[in-house]
Structures are given as C-alpha cells and as structure tokens.
Amino acid sequence: MKERMSFMLTSLLSNLFFILFPIFLYDVFWGERRRHKLPNLSYTLMGLLSIGLCMLFPIGLTAGHQFDLHLIPFIIASLYGGHRISAWLAGFMLLLDILLIHDPSPYTLLINAVTALLIQIGIIRFRTYSPKMKISVVVLLSTLSVMVSLYGFYMNTPEEVHDPLTGYILLGLSIQALSSGMIAGFIEAMRKNMLMRNEMMQIQRLQVIGELAASVSHEVRNPLTVSRGFLQLLLERHKDNEQDARYLRLTLEEMDRAQHIITDYLAYAKPEAEMVSRLRVADELAYVISVLEPYALLGKVEIKVSGVGEGFVLGDKHKFRQCLINLLKNGIEAMPGGGTLEVKAVCDSKKARICIIDSGAGMSTEEVERLGTPYYTTKTKGTGLGTMVAFSVAKAMNGGIEVSSTKGKGTKFIITLPTC
C-alpha cells in the first residue's frame, strides 16, 4: 500500500512538473518578447509537450485503472491561446489516443469531444475576465471534463467494480480540480508580475524625462523668448528684403518648434491633474474637434463623430483636451494622403470609452508596444512626447489607453476613463 501511494505521489508530481516546466520556460524565454510571432508557436509547442508527457506517464490509481492530468494543459493552453491553438491540441490528443490505446473506446472520444466543445464556449469571453474569474473557469472546466470522464467510465464498466474504485475516482477528481486551480493561479501571478515589471520600467522612464523637463525647460525657454523677440524686430525691418525675410521666417519657425517641444516637456513633467473638475465628454470632444477641423481640412481628412452619449469624467480640463488633441492630431498626420478619422464615444454608469480610429498606414506590433516610451515616434519630425503626454494624462485620470493597429489598415486608440 505504501509503495502504491508513493508511486501515485511520484506520478502526480511528475504530471505537475510536466505542466509547470513548459510554462516556466515560456515565461523565461518569451514572456518579455510578445511582440514577435514566435510566442504563439512556442505556446502551442509547450502545450503539446505537456499533454504528451502527461499521457505517456499516467498516474496509477489501482491495478488496471489510471488517469493523468493531460486535460489541464489542454484546457489552459486553449483558454489562454485561443481557438486555433485549441484545435491543434485537440487533434494531437486524438492522435495520441489512437497511438497509445490503439482502439480508443467511444466514451474516450466522447470525453475529448465534450471537453473541446466546453472549452470553445469558454474561450469566447475568457480574456475579458478578472484573474479570479479565469481561475474559476479553469477549475470548472477541469471538473466538468472529469465528470464527463466518470460518466463514460460508469456507463462502460461492470457495476461490481464501481464501489471499490469510488475513493480513487473522487481522489482523481480532487487532484484534477486542485491542480488546475493551482496552475491557473500560478499563470495569473506570473502575468501580474510581468505587468508590474513593465509598469515599473515605464514609471522609471517617466521619472527620468520628468526630472529632465523640470530642470532644463525654463532655463532654455527664457533665452529663446528673448531671441525670438529680437528676430521679430529684425523681420519687421527686413520685410522688404525677400531673401532675408525668408531666412528670418525659417528661423522663427524653428524657434517655435523648439518652444513646442519644451512645452511638451513641461506638460510631461507634471502630468497629474491639477485643477480637477467634472467634465462632460461630449463638450470636450466638440471643443477639440472644432480646434482641429481646419488642420484636418488642410490634410484632406474628414472627422466623423458618432455615438457621443451623456457621460462625465473627473480631470483637469486643459490636460484632458491636450490628451485628445495629441491623439487626434496623430490620427490626422497618419493619413498624409487624406482619409477619414472616426471618433466614437460610449459612456455608461462606470466607464467612458473614446475611440479614435484612422485609416492610415498602421503600425506593427513592435511599434504599438513602444508607443508612449520616451523619444519614440513613427513620424519623421516628431519627438514622441505628444503620445507620452496623452498616456500620462489618461493614467492621472485613473484610466488608460489601449492601442491596436494593423499595417496598411490603420490604428485605433481607445481611451477608457471612469465616469462620475
């Protein structure tokens, strides 16, 4: 009896190791490189590896009866990976059933089919769930899959073997549920730590740029203002000299651009809301669009507004407008040949979502992930500070900005803010 229990415990730990080790490998080698295409393939391979090893080294309950944890990596990889990965893994499990069992029984095929169907239903909204809800869904699906397996077992075995195996079956059910919950919790903790690392890195970047802005901007702006005043006087004196006037205008334009960069630095140095008030989303959008419409017309861009409902947010009016202007201006400039810029706002009792959609050249996944970092821009004459300010203002308002883009099709910015 002790030897059997020792063997069961060893097999159980081996199955858990088969599941956890690929997850650990994925986090170490590809967790910080999600912008590449490799993680999707590696995620599938890790799932295949876990499933294969679990099925090759099952847990023996009693003589002639055994089970394994291969459904756990199948469920987890499917829910986190999506429909395509689920299809690959389901086909792989069917192939292993045929190779290992040679003539799988109808209820074995039924188990896999029902489990796969339940998972396809669970995938639909899985990514929108909270971490606790995700763990609960994983445990629920794991438990249901075992219950389907038990139903098939009781329907296809003689009654005299049911009672002696009841304890082992309940043990297997408990192991399946606890193991799946533990592994899902480990994955969610790992994802949370990764998000925290990324957030800490972003905060460090913001701190560096903010300190630089606070220490340098005022000192640089003062001599620029004096110099610009004298250049304007010179332009008045030499306005009849076309060549001198042209040079002076170019100098003034470049000085204005330098002033604009410094303004962005100063806005970034203090991104937090300073004069908080209750802002009506529709009014702020109307103001920003009226300001940018002439600029859009020059670029042959049509701004379409839809779905602006009644919603209020808390924030600094000027900074919120600056956030919207920066993103709308980026959308206009992303379409140098003209196009349509869609602005949608949907408000409910909890959140206000403002979508800004352009039909420009779009960005790659790597470019999207680098948005909002210091000095990064996809424009030839940009500094990247405008997008940084937008992200910072949204965060100061207890919200955030999501970006999705496809090369050749355009970019979508979604500003999500809590309503009041």
Side-chain angles (χ1 to χ4, degrees):
M1 185 67 179
K2 288 183 178 179
E3 291 181 358
R4 181 173 298 279
M5 291 300 295
S6 177
F7 176 74
M8 285 178 57
L9 181 59
T10 303
S11 302
L12 172 61
L13 293 176
S14 298
N15 271 238
L16 291 175
F17 175 77
F18 297 150
I19 300 171
L20 287 172
F21 185 64
I23 295 172
F24 174 75
L25 283 180
Y26 180 82
D27 181 59
V28 170
F29 290 104
W30 296 292
E32 299 292 339
R33 301 176 178 87
R34 295 181 182 272
R35 59 179 177 268
H36 300 303
K37 296 294 182 182
L38 184 60
N40 293 329
L41 174 61
S42 65
Y43 200 50
T44 306
L45 293 176
M46 296 299 103
L48 295 176
L49 179 63
S50 294
I51 291 171
L53 289 173
C54 287
M55 294 181 73
L56 287 171
F57 301 95
I59 304 168
L61 292 177
T62 185
H65 298 281
Q66 56 190 21
F67 85 107
D68 58 69
L69 302 181
H70 77 276
L71 287 177
I72 294 178
F74 173 57
I75 291 170
I76 290 176
S78 298
L79 291 174
Y80 283 95
H83 295 286
R84 183 177 298 179
I85 290 177
S86 180
W88 279 101
L89 297 181
F92 179 70
M93 284 198 313
L94 178 61
L95 178 63
L96 279 183
D97 281 336
I98 295 172
L99 292 176
L100 297 177
I101 305 175
H102 302 295
D103 186 20
S105 62
Y107 83 83
T108 300
L109 299 177
L110 176 65
I111 293 167
N112 291 339
V114 173
T115 303
L117 179 61
L118 291 173
I119 288 172
Q120 298 311 309
I121 297 172
I123 289 174
I124 297 173
R125 296 182 58 84
F126 185 76
R127 293 187 179 182
T128 64
Y129 294 152
S130 65
K132 290 184 179 179
M133 187 65 178
K134 288 180 180 179
I135 295 172
S136 300
V137 170
V138 170
V139 173
L140 176 62
L141 288 176
S142 298
T143 305
L144 288 176
S145 67
V146 174
M147 292 177 69
V148 173
S149 177
L150 293 179
Y151 174 78
F153 171 76
Y154 279 107
M155 291 295 291
N156 290 272
T157 54
E159 291 186 7
E160 57 267 19
V161 303
H162 291 177
D163 290 339
L165 291 177
T166 300
Y168 292 107
I169 290 170
L170 292 176
L171 176 63
L173 179 62
S174 302
I175 290 173
Q176 181 91 350
L178 291 174
S179 301
S180 62
M182 182 191 72
I183 292 168
F186 174 75
I187 292 174
E188 288 301 320
M190 199 169 60
R191 289 161 68 94
K192 182 179 179 181
N193 289 336
M194 186 185 68
L195 290 174
M196 288 179 63
R197 288 199 303 267
N198 292 339
E199 188 173 350
M200 287 300 298
M201 291 172 62
Q202 182 71 0
I203 289 173
Q204 288 176 354
R205 295 190 191 107
L206 304 186
Q207 186 177 3
V208 169
I209 199 71
E211 290 175 355
L212 178 64
S215 61
V216 181
S217 297
H218 287 294
E219 286 76 5
V220 175
R221 173 175 278 178
N222 290 336
L224 276 178
T225 303
V226 175
S227 301
R228 194 183 190 285
F230 284 112
L231 285 171
Q232 285 179 313
L233 290 174
L234 287 173
L235 179 61
E236 287 295 322
R237 292 185 180 182
H238 295 272
K239 61 183 178 181
D240 295 331
N241 188 326
E242 193 172 320
Q243 186 173 4
D244 289 349
R246 184 166 66 88
Y247 290 153
L248 288 169
R249 288 193 197 96
L250 285 173
T251 305
L252 286 170
E253 287 176 6
E254 289 304 304
M255 293 189 74
D256 288 340
R257 196 162 77 88
Q259 289 271 24
H260 177 71
I261 293 171
I262 292 171
T263 300
D264 281 344
Y265 268 103
L266 286 172
Y268 192 73
K270 292 184 178 180
E272 69 278 356
E274 296 174 349
M275 298 178 63
V276 177
S277 59
R278 195 165 181 258
L279 308 175
R280 187 168 178 263
V281 174
D283 292 343
E284 300 307 313
L285 277 174
Y287 172 81
V288 169
I289 290 170
S290 66
V291 169
L292 288 175
E293 268 184 338
Y295 184 68
L297 289 173
L298 287 174
K300 299 180 181 179
V301 174
E302 180 184 4
I303 301 177
K304 288 187 176 181
V305 184
S306 62
V308 179
E310 290 294 326
F312 293 84
V313 296
L314 286 177
D316 183 286
K317 182 198 305 186
H318 301 290
K319 292 186 182 297
F320 182 48
R321 289 178 177 178
Q322 184 181 20
C323 171
L324 294 173
I325 287 173
N326 289 347
L327 295 181
L328 286 168
K329 187 168 175 285
N330 284 344
I332 294 169
E333 293 173 349
M335 299 177 285
T340 302
L341 183 67
E342 296 183 48
V343 181
K344 301 178 182 178
V346 179
C347 304
D348 55 33
S349 59
K350 294 183 178 180
K351 292 182 179 180
R353 288 166 57 90
I354 303 169
C355 301
I356 301 169
I357 308 168
D358 67 63
S359 55
M363 294 178 286
S364 65
T365 305
E366 182 178 2
E367 290 173 331
V368 169
E369 290 190 357
R370 293 186 64 187
L371 282 178
T373 56
Y375 308 116
Y376 180 75
T377 179
T378 57
K379 296 182 288 187
T380 55
K381 293 185 178 180
T383 63
L385 294 174
T387 309
M388 288 170 60
V389 169
F391 276 74
S392 185
V393 170
K395 186 176 181 181
M397 295 174 67
N398 297 318
I401 299 176
E402 299 176 18
V403 187
S404 59
S405 184
T406 304
K407 277 285 188 181
K409 293 186 178 180
T411 303
K412 178 193 288 187
F413 284 84
I414 302 177
I415 308 170
T416 304
L417 300 169
T419 53
C420 59

